[in-house]
Amino acid sequence: MTETFDAIILGAGGAGLMCAAIAGQRGRRVLVIDHANAPGKKILISGGGRCNFTNLGTAPDRYISMNPHFVKSALGRYGAQDFLALVERYGIAWHEKTLGQLFCDGSARQIVDMLLSECDRGEVELRVAAPISDVAHGDGQYRVTHGGRVAQAPALVIATGGPSIPKMGASGFAYDLARQFGLKVVEPRPALVPLTLSGEEALFRDLAGVSAPVVARCGKASFAEAALFTHRGLSGPAILQVSSYWYPGQPIGIDFLPRAPEDWLIAAKRERPRATVQQLLAAQLPDRLAGALAERLALTGGLADQKDRALVEAGQRLSDWRFVPNGSEGFAKAEVTVGGIDTAGLSSKTMEARKVPGLYAIGEAVDVTGWLGGYNFQWAWASGWAAGQAL
């Protein structure tokens, strides 16, 4: 027997639950289907279990997409303050960390429970542990075969995310479905992911566990946050951020002393001629990092023994130390995905496919990727809200 709904949403993550709650509260009969055994699994592990649920600095320029203007409509109509108001309505205590990042004081479970309560208000039907075996379209209806059951609706929402964190059940299912209905897909790649080093640069692996505040750059993008050396290469917030902009073969530039003036080594030579470069670096950086950088600069002896030109060049290198990663740690360690369902085929207002009536795509499934720090959740809420209003 085929069950009939007004809308079927595939995926019970942040975007899917938000979309379902909004549509359900507008009087739509909504079914949410997920192959996982519980809703909101990525939400639960986010932010160290406290869910970095939005960012007060949310703005379109904090997102990566082939169409940088696509996010403006949804984010403009449902912003960080709107979601924060919902959080406060449920009495969920929160705190602000650095750079506008908002976290639960308690647990990420509170955000999942809030979304499920909102779905209950809209009488949304939720089915988990229900793998989808077929999706078809005909006579104005989308038919979804799942867990031995068949449901149909005139509207279908793709909210199954991207392939990042496959151990959580993530896959490229959204892209397969999009292609099935004639939508284009921007080649997906891992984002917010540690980068790996090899060859000569692999010597830095000896610094595994050492971190320092830096400015990391890739192309025109730059981020002033901490970088962390790992046994495989580079990580930490600054590196995760630039990884979203990185392509194989590109160098990553790191300014190890972002507050130091350009000629600081020349000035130090006048003031402390007997000091070594390593001593100066150790006053501003962790000892192991200072030693590794000084060793590679190869300026032996005191500052008085160095030519000014050599000190200038050393200062320049320290402000733009080049690494050429040989890869990343892949989708297994990526927090999100760059790429996805091409926004050129979607309405920025409703998230509906332009040439496939009743088909919608939201959240990480779409070619929209936010910075680290709550931006991707805000896109999930905003895109889910936009589609929910249109269903």
Side-chain angles (χ1 to χ4, degrees), residues 159-171:
T160 54
S164 60
I165 321 183
K167 69 180 180 183
M168 301 292 295
S171 72

Side-chain angles (χ1 to χ4, degrees), residues 291-305:
L293 294 174
E295 180 185 338
R296 284 157 182 76
L297 290 171
L299 296 176
T300 55
L303 294 178
D305 302 323

Side-chain angles (χ1 to χ4, degrees), residues 124-258:
V124 171
E125 185 163 344
L126 173 63
R127 293 177 187 167
V128 295
I132 296 163
S133 54
D134 185 63
V135 178
H137 183 233
D139 302 324
Q141 295 287 319
Y142 293 89
R143 292 177 184 82
V144 182
T145 305
H146 58 289
R149 305 166 82 168
V150 180
Q152 69 175 15
L156 179 72
V157 183
I158 303 172
T160 54
S164 60
I165 321 183
K167 69 180 180 183
M168 301 292 295
S171 72
F173 179 74
Y175 312 147
D176 297 337
L177 205 52
R179 292 188 185 101
Q180 176 185 331
F181 290 105
L183 298 181
K184 293 181 179 178
V185 174
V186 175
E187 185 65 32
R189 54 191 174 87
L192 300 183
V193 64
L195 298 174
T196 57
L197 300 174
S198 67
E200 177 68 22
E201 293 175 333
L203 293 170
F204 277 93
R205 291 179 189 167
D206 295 341
L207 299 175
V210 173
S211 69
V214 304
V215 171
R217 304 184 188 92
C218 182
K220 294 180 180 178
S222 69
F223 296 91
E225 291 193 64
L228 169 70
F229 289 92
T230 73
H231 66 284
R232 296 191 64 188
L234 295 166
S235 188
I239 301 302
L240 297 182
Q241 294 280 37
V242 296
S243 75
S244 298
Y245 295 85
W246 178 80
Y247 287 90
Q250 264 188 310
I252 297 289
I254 294 185
D255 184 348
F256 284 108
L257 300 168

